[in-house]
Amino acid sequence: MRVLIAPDAFGSTLGPVQVATAMAEGWALGAPHDEVRLLPLSGGGPGFLDVVARACGGEMVATTVSDPLGREVPATLLLVDEPGRRTAYVEAAQAIGLHLLAADERDPGITSTWGVGQLLEAALAEGVDRVVVGVGGGATNDGGAGMLAALGAGPADLLARGGLALGAADESALIGLPGVLDRLSGTEVVLATDDETPLLGLSGTSAVGAPGKGATPETSQALESALGHFTDVVGRAVPRPLDLLSGQPRRLDRELGAGAAGGLGYALLVLGARPVPAVTEVLRLTGFDVAAAGSDLVVTATDRLDWTSVRGSVVSGVAEATAATGRPAVVVAGELLVGRRETMTMGLAGCYALADHPAEVDAMLADPVGTLRARARRVARTWSPAR
């Protein structure tokens, strides 16, 4: 049997390539007679650059940026020369990833996206025509204000002190934003994310995302207010772009992906970024359709399969694309938090959890590679019994 292993990262614990390798090792133990191909995938979060580099080649350029608390960390960007243009791929999580902070350092009220702005500056210095920013897995909730400050939109002491400080921002905070827009006018910016969260509201980034980054309910409410004020400041600094169909001003804060990485998506939209589903872009770059059509079974994986995974995730993208080829797709999940009805609706032929209760979660975290390898071995025996 020909098996295609096409997983996402396991949060910040294992990258997509590491997950795919562990699963392939387990599959070889359970079904050594199978032909296994690895095709790691990404939804724009940790591992995005590794996946794109594996698919497209290109040149990795090393740099140094600030982490969410302003400490220097190593980072890279990927340069890919294509006919007629040069593209830089940027992984925002290298600068603002939750994995960069210890558990007791996580506070989305004070973390900043300044390092993402530094990554964009590094890309622009390479003379690129296009910048694709993979956004996911962030520890910030500053509406992308820190990134804008790093690009020259305004003073760092007003914009780069975290989301809570934005409540005191005035019109002078974004005095340089028109100049930033002029500087970027000749560069195509692409926002690649699987996060469809809007910026504000009950389903916005402060309400939905901030608690997982260490925010208390009171902090989440304060961040909601501060980001609302920040959008007003942005609206006074630059005119809202017009919708090409209706001719009416666009509400960027309400657009899908505006709330990605605590509002980093919103700031990229302000800069004129074109939003694309990261999964769709990665599936295209990796040639997933052809690989799936040439396989008998597709196996994907994620650390957590819940209601947010039903659409706009690596798992949902793999399931949909595989269904179009007529092949079955199954998923191995660290935690499986949806029922059979939801997974069947997604088009999955089977779901296998690494952890069914809290004790197993602890064991999984202690040895994620070994746990993945063991589960893949059992799944292989189910789908490809010994001859």
Side-chain angles (χ1 to χ4, degrees), residues 1 29 54 61-62 64 67 80 82 110 133 155 209 212 243 247 250 254 257 271 295 299 306 386:
M1 188 165 72
L29 294 173
R54 186 184 177 101
V61 176
T64 301
D67 78 355
V80 178
E82 304 166 300
I110 63 173
V133 187
D243 182 88
R250 292 164 57 192
R254 296 181 179 177
L271 295 179
S295 304
V299 185
D306 57 18

Side-chain angles (χ1 to χ4, degrees), residues 64-68 92 95-96 112-120 146-147 150:
T64 301
V65 300
S66 297
D67 78 355
I96 61 169
S112 171
T113 52
W114 177 277
V116 180
Q118 292 176 304
L119 281 171
L120 291 180
M147 177 196 72

Side-chain angles (χ1 to χ4, degrees), residues 300 305 315 318-319 329-331 340 342-351:
T300 187
L305 187 62
V315 174
V318 166
V330 300
V331 62
R340 183 60 180 156
E342 289 80 10
T343 57
M344 289 181 65
T345 300
M346 293 172 67
L348 294 167
C351 302

Side-chain angles (χ1 to χ4, degrees), residues 3-16:
V3 180
L4 180 66
I5 296 181
D8 194 2
F10 262 50
S12 59
T13 305
L14 296 175

Side-chain angles (χ1 to χ4, degrees), residues 155-326:
D157 61 347
L158 292 175
L159 299 176
R161 294 190 294 117
L164 290 178
L166 297 177
D170 56 22
E171 294 183 7
S172 67
L174 292 172
I175 192 170
L177 183 55
V180 174
L181 293 176
D182 287 342
R183 187 156 63 97
L184 290 173
S185 61
T187 306
E188 180 187 2
V189 181
V190 179
L191 163 61
T193 183
D194 63 358
D195 187 346
E196 299 183 346
T197 307
L199 182 68
L200 303 172
L202 294 177
S203 59
T205 190
S206 299
V208 175
K213 304 170 186 178
T216 64
E218 293 76 18
T219 299
S220 294
Q221 291 178 9
L223 285 168
E224 173 75 10
S225 176
L227 291 187
H229 174 72
F230 181 60
T231 62
D232 292 337
V233 175
V234 171
R236 292 193 294 270
V238 292
R240 287 161 53 189
L242 299 179
D243 182 88
L244 295 179
L245 294 178
S246 67
Q248 298 299 310
R250 292 164 57 192
R251 286 290 304 269
L252 298 181
D253 58 290
R254 296 181 179 177
E255 296 196 2
L256 295 179
L264 175 61
Y266 168 73
L268 288 167
L269 292 172
V270 169
L271 295 179
R274 176 174 59 88
V276 300
V279 176
T280 302
E281 183 71 3
V282 168
L283 292 178
R284 180 185 68 81
L285 291 173
T286 58
F288 177 84
D289 290 348
V290 174
S295 304
D296 299 306
L297 175 69
V298 175
V299 185
T300 187
T302 184
D303 60 337
R304 184 183 178 92
L305 187 62
D306 57 18
W307 66 271
T308 65
S309 310
V310 174
R311 54 177 293 176
S313 69
V314 166
V315 174
S316 63
V318 166
E320 182 178 354
T322 303
T325 69

